[in-house]
Amino acid sequence: MARARRRRFRLWPIVAVLVLAIVVGVGAVALLFDPNTLKPRIEAAAERATGRKLEIRGPITLLASLTPGFTANDIVFANAPGGSPEPMLAVARVEGRIDPMELLAGRLKVVSLTVVHPAILLEINAAGVPNWRFTPATPPTPPPASLAT
């Protein structure tokens, strides 16, 4: 019984150091990495996926904590061609939380997303096509022949 207590007692400093290292690591990334350098890549990926222009006009900031996150401000998503000149979506701020374990594994997994003050314009054009139907700029690649039936 006394040995088990000693082993548990020896593990606490190791666990505390690991947690502290994660917090310090996330904090260092937040201080040294400028997420605004990713704006062009994010905007280009959104345009490829939807065929519409996305603009992140405000700053993107990282939030360092045990559940790291980010905020992005003043986001505008273009309306469908032939639709109203107003954007389909305008958002004051987006707040997201990231799974820290996935981040440590080199993957980005957003576990929660909050949209603050959205303005959404849904409309149907004269041809009966809704503006929420998207046409990707690059069509998806077909599956490999081995997967196609």
Side-chain angles (χ1 to χ4, degrees), residues 14-31 63-68 98-105:
I14 294 169
V15 171
V17 167
L18 286 174
V19 169
L20 183 62
I22 290 170
V23 171
V24 168
V26 169
V29 167
L31 290 174
L63 308 172
S65 70
L66 287 177
T67 56
I98 300 167
D99 182 339
M101 298 313 283
E102 291 288 324
L103 198 58
L104 289 173

Side-chain angles (χ1 to χ4, degrees), residues 26-90:
V26 169
V29 167
L31 290 174
L32 300 174
F33 174 70
D34 181 12
N36 292 290
T37 60
L38 296 177
K39 277 185 189 181
R41 290 178 63 190
I42 295 168
E43 293 169 344
E47 189 165 353
R48 278 192 310 274
T50 65
R52 311 256 185 97
K53 185 173 182 174
L54 174 76
E55 290 181 77
I56 304 172
R57 296 177 176 170
I60 300 174
T61 56
L62 295 178
L63 308 172
S65 70
L66 287 177
T67 56
F70 64 90
T71 63
N73 295 287
D74 194 12
I75 301 168
V76 177
F77 185 65
N79 200 359
S84 300
E86 293 88 21
M88 179 183 176
L89 175 68

